[in-house]
Amino acid sequence: MSDRILYYSASAGRGVVGAIDVNNVTKDLTVIPSGFATDWTQIVGLSGDRILFYGRSAGRGVVCTIDQNNAIGDVTVIPPGSFATDWTQITTLSGDRILFYSASTGRGVVCTISASNVIKDVTVMPAGRFAKDWTQIAALSGSRLLFYSASTGRGSVCSITANNVITEVTPIPAGGFAKGWSQIAALSGDRLMYYNAAAGSGLIGAVTPQNTFTPLKTIPAGGFATDWTEISFLRPPVNPSSPWAILLCKFKDATTPPSLPLTRFQEMFTSTGSNKHNMVDFFRDMSHGNIDVSASKVLGWYTLPQKTSDYTGSGSNPQGRPALIAWGRQAAAAAGVNLAPYADRIVVVTHPPTDLFGGVGLGAVSGDGRDDWGMSSLSPSLMGQEMGHVYALDHSSGAGFDYGDRWDIMSTRGSAHGRCFMAPHPVFTEKNSTGQSIWRIGPGLNAANMWGRGWLERVWQSAETEPDTIVELRPLHRRDLPGHLCARVGRYFFEFRARELWDADIPEPCVLVHEFSNNRSYLLTATNGNESLRKGDEFLRKDPFDPTGYRLNVKVLDIDPVGRKARLSVYLRKAAPFPFDLESFTDHPHQGVDDDSGLIVIGGKVVNVPSGSPLYAKVEEVAQQLQQAAITFNGQDHELLHRGSVRAMSSLADLLSRTESPQEPHEVVEAAQIPAALARSAAPGPAPDQD
């Protein structure tokens, strides 16, 4: 998917809507030769395909819309004097907030804009609150802001909370950036476009969640026009807020104080702990920026009127679990808290800890319980799964097991197939008395699960046929790097996972293959049985009955852990069309075919199946087995027939393999040609095994 960018020239009143793709290739889409006013000094993209134009000289503005054909039209005119006339930078924040900044006084205002384009002040920041030399401000993911000074090349990455409190996170000293950038526009994937009007040059760069800036592509002098005065990304890089309420609740018979300070909950769940591998960072990275939980709040402690023993919802009584969330809601409501903005995004943290679960339409429950490895139930490794359930994520499967995908956070509560790859927390490093890490992170969310929620971005999609196409992948959760983050071939998802960040505990960099069905992801294996594909491993799917039919073959050519790249070769051949018109064929009578008989068509060969024949008995057995067993689902190949059905079909295939090949494509092979000694009884076999 390409980003749209609006380039505007105040001197000519002209503009261009351009595009930049995931490989940082830019091109013009729509040229607007004239028609803009010439007094606009700031232009920012808003949600809902809206654009705010601000004219400093008159303090006026316009909110416009831009459609899919890049036609721009006025929606709301904001008359002169409605805005102050000293704003030098305007940028959009999450939750349809807008930051206004004045270089002359160092003051600022955070406003909100409604869907009907009503703007109002929320937080006033007095003169002197900001430095006065900032010439560009760009919004980054994770509720971060980049401030840049063209005169010195210095900068600062700050964070802004849901309450509009701005604090410095990473200062960038003078000379840390090149001087003289006229415009810096934030793009998707934590990329930045730098533009120098004097030379018509530019740079596409990236910024990591740790606030490290790297160049990706240089645009030489003359690559841009030199009269652009505003460059604006038309799809804001941050998304509407999806806040959570974290309700801290003590049972009335609790005899000890809570084991963790309030600050730890704030660091773990809110923007206070952004960029420390907390839940804000987790959902930003796992949703490819489509979920912003930075406005979450920690509320409490509240004392519940219930005793610990009053909760009976776990174990044999899962129906009682909603009661615990209801108690937490009631306690917050009694304290005057309005939980309506949070919908079902509620986490009830109990002391003492009682349970760990989550559900869509319900909420989640946790506490500082410790598992057999000493890990707290409040760790991101476990909260990622329980909060993920509220977003309708199901458990993931692998090796035939529920909770069987060790590379996916939706399997972290299970151990049937071995423990998930969960790394010690890089920031919260406390250990218990036996030296075990209390806090753990990861693994990440797999691509199929991300796709199921509509979060997966920058996907390479195969065509119906692919003749050994080379595909390069970046690590699935590294939106700051250019390139594709996933390859989808048919119904299969191929992702590259690097041994870093949320995946720091995986054994080695690898490629994983998943499919998605019935709201669940399934981890698939290579032809050699490996769950994680390494260099040289292949993934193969083909039609077992037709060597010239459907075939999918994906091979891992190379994995470069330093360059963070994986190269795949993709071969895809679609199934051949049916070899003849069956309808016209069956319209004509055939010798030996009566009303009680049937036909089998396989590989273009038509076999007559007279009633009472051994072949008829075998077909009937297959039909009975399929009717009794239906189809079960298995992570190895998604559609796996029960053993009884497999036995029956194998026997049928054996019978068919012994028929003589017809000389003409439509010739009927009589069942009498099949040796009766090869037939089994038509009686149904044993009931299929129950796995």
Side-chain angles (χ1 to χ4, degrees):
M1 180 177 66
S2 296
D3 294 337
R4 288 189 300 175
I5 306 168
L6 174 62
Y7 302 84
Y8 163 78
S9 168
S11 62
R14 74 183 189 98
V16 167
V17 177
I20 181 169
D21 64 18
V22 294
N23 296 313
N24 302 312
V25 176
T26 57
K27 64 178 180 180
D28 291 350
L29 295 177
T30 302
V31 176
I32 307 170
S34 62
F36 285 114
T38 57
D39 63 332
W40 302 128
T41 53
Q42 289 290 297
I43 301 175
V44 293
L46 306 174
S47 65
D49 287 329
R50 294 175 297 164
I51 310 170
L52 171 62
F53 293 79
Y54 163 76
R56 181 180 176 185
S57 61
R60 75 182 190 99
V62 168
V63 178
C64 298
T65 59
I66 181 167
D67 64 19
Q68 293 183 344
N69 297 318
N70 302 317
I72 298 175
D74 289 352
V75 173
T76 302
V77 176
I78 303 169
S82 300
F83 291 111
T85 57
D86 62 333
W87 302 129
T88 53
Q89 280 293 295
I90 301 176
T91 191
T92 51
L93 311 173
S94 61
D96 270 340
R97 294 174 296 163
I98 307 172
L99 172 63
F100 295 80
Y101 160 78
S102 169
S104 61
T105 62
R107 73 183 188 99
V109 168
V110 176
C111 298
T112 59
I113 182 167
S114 69
S116 56
N117 302 321
V118 176
I119 299 176
K120 63 179 182 179
D121 290 352
V122 174
T123 303
V124 176
M125 301 169 184
R129 173 65 182 83
F130 296 102
K132 298 181 180 181
D133 62 333
W134 302 129
T135 53
Q136 291 291 300
I137 302 175
L140 308 175
S141 66
S143 299
R144 295 174 298 161
L145 293 168
L146 169 64
F147 293 78
Y148 164 78
S149 170
S151 62
T152 63
R154 77 180 189 100
S156 177
V157 178
C158 299
S159 65
I160 181 166
T161 69
N163 297 321
N164 302 319
V165 176
I166 297 178
T167 56
E168 187 172 62
V169 176
T170 304
I172 301 166
F177 292 104
K179 300 178 183 179
W181 294 124
S182 312
Q183 293 286 307
I184 300 179
L187 309 174
S188 64
D190 271 340
R191 293 175 299 161
L192 295 164
M193 174 183 283
Y194 303 82
Y195 165 73
N196 185 307
S201 61
L203 174 73
I204 309 298
V207 56
T208 69
Q210 293 74 40
N211 302 322
T212 300
F213 292 80
T214 56
L216 299 176
K217 178 180 180 179
T218 300
I219 300 170
F224 288 112
T226 58
D227 63 333
W228 302 131
T229 51
E230 275 295 299
I231 299 177
S232 179
F233 180 33
L234 295 184
R235 185 169 64 91
V238 286
N239 288 275
S241 186
S242 180
W244 287 70
I246 315 301
L247 308 181
L248 308 183
C249 300
K250 295 184 292 185
F251 288 100
K252 72 175 184 180
D253 60 342
T255 58
T256 60
S259 56
L260 298 171
L262 181 64
T263 54
R264 176 52 52 89
F265 294 99
Q266 293 169 334
E267 289 175 317
M268 191 59 65
F269 291 100
T270 76
S271 59
T272 300
S274 292
N275 303 310
K276 295 181 180 180
H277 284 85
N278 73 346
M279 300 316 299
V280 175
D281 304 329
F282 174 81
F283 282 108
R284 176 198 66 216
D285 294 345
M286 299 306 112
S287 73
H288 279 174
N290 286 288
I291 294 293
D292 178 9
V293 305
S294 62
S296 300
K297 291 185 178 181
V298 175
L299 305 166
W301 292 88
Y302 305 121
T303 300
L304 302 177
Q306 292 83 12
K307 297 183 295 185
T308 308
S309 59
D310 291 332
Y311 177 61
T312 59
S314 60
S316 61
N317 183 31
Q319 292 79 13
R321 283 177 158 180
L324 187 52
I325 294 179
W327 296 345
R329 283 182 170 275
Q330 292 162 5
V337 177
N338 176 20
L339 294 177
Y342 303 100
D344 60 349
R345 297 185 301 274
I346 304 290
V347 176
V348 175
V349 177
T350 64
H351 177 72
T354 53
D355 207 346
L356 179 64
F357 66 87
V360 63
L362 182 64
V365 165
S366 187
D368 189 25
R370 307 292 171 88
D371 65 11
D372 293 341
W373 297 290
M375 177 173 54
S376 171
S377 294
L378 292 164
S379 287
S381 288
L382 300 182
M383 291 311 301
Q385 180 180 141
E386 305 309 336
M387 294 171 74
H389 283 320
V390 182
Y391 288 114
L393 284 161
D394 201 350
H395 298 136
S396 48
S397 295
F401 296 101
D402 189 20
Y403 294 104
D405 187 348
R406 293 179 293 166
W407 287 264
D408 186 61
I409 200 159
M410 299 311 294
S411 285
T412 52
R413 288 291 293 162
S415 58
H417 186 47
R419 188 184 180 194
C420 269
F421 300 118
M422 299 177 283
H425 201 290
V427 177
F428 307 128
T429 57
E430 298 96 325
K431 299 181 183 298
N432 64 12
S433 59
T434 61
Q436 296 171 307
S437 295
I438 295 173
W439 303 98
R440 288 184 175 272
I441 65 169
L445 190 64
N446 70 53
N449 273 328
M450 294 170 69
W451 178 84
R453 302 280 70 77
W455 296 342
L456 185 64
E457 296 193 353
R458 290 161 55 185
V459 179
W460 180 85
Q461 178 67 58
S462 71
E464 285 189 337
T465 60
E466 292 291 345
D468 289 322
T469 304
I470 305 301
V471 180
E472 184 177 272
L473 295 181
R474 292 296 200 155
L476 175 62
H477 306 120
R478 291 297 302 272
R479 290 186 304 128
D480 57 305
L481 299 177
H484 293 105
L485 303 177
C486 174
R488 191 176 184 203
V489 186
R491 69 175 187 251
Y492 304 107
F493 297 85
F494 295 82
E495 64 196 64
F496 172 42
R497 304 286 280 270
R499 197 168 185 264
E500 62 182 359
L501 304 175
W502 302 101
D503 290 328
D505 196 52
I506 67 174
E508 59 186 333
C510 62
V511 172
L512 302 177
V513 188
H514 292 88
E515 59 182 334
F516 192 81
S517 177
N518 295 327
N519 198 44
R520 175 169 294 206
S521 69
Y522 296 85
L523 177 67
L524 308 179
T525 60
T527 54
N528 59 10
N530 286 341
E531 292 181 313
S532 59
L533 280 65
R534 303 147 194 160
K535 182 178 179 179
D537 286 351
E538 293 183 273
F539 179 84
L540 175 65
R541 290 293 184 270
K542 61 182 179 179
D543 183 346
F545 298 106
D546 184 0
T548 65
Y550 171 80
R551 184 182 180 91
L552 181 153
N553 192 75
V554 177
K555 183 176 182 179
V556 179
L557 300 178
D558 185 49
I559 292 178
D560 178 4
V562 177
R564 295 181 174 85
K565 298 176 182 178
R567 292 174 64 247
L568 311 179
S569 172
V570 178
Y571 176 84
L572 179 61
R573 181 178 65 208
K574 65 180 181 178
F578 202 69
F580 59 87
D581 185 351
L582 183 61
E583 183 176 351
S584 64
F585 174 74
T586 55
D587 283 342
H588 297 84
H590 294 272
Q591 184 179 4
V593 180
D594 56 40
D595 290 342
D596 294 327
S597 299
L599 298 172
I600 291 179
V601 182
I602 183 166
K605 183 169 68 174
V606 181
V607 179
N608 184 20
V609 188
S611 60
S613 68
L615 182 56
Y616 190 98
K618 185 52 59 184
V619 173
E620 189 174 61
E621 180 185 350
V622 172
Q624 288 172 339
Q625 290 288 350
L626 291 176
Q627 186 174 16
Q628 291 174 7
I631 292 177
T632 57
F633 296 96
N634 180 287
Q636 295 304 303
D637 199 15
H638 179 64
E639 298 173 357
L640 178 64
L641 298 176
H642 275 292
R643 292 187 181 91
S645 303
V646 172
R647 285 194 295 267
M649 294 188 73
S650 176
S651 180
L652 173 60
D654 182 48
L655 285 170
L656 290 170
S657 70
R658 295 169 187 264
T659 64
E660 296 180 6
S661 300
Q663 297 299 312
E664 300 294 333
H666 291 180
E667 181 182 344
V668 175
V669 180
E670 298 299 334
Q673 296 174 342
I674 303 173
L678 296 177
R680 286 186 176 182
S681 169
D689 296 338
Q690 300 298 315
D691 295 328

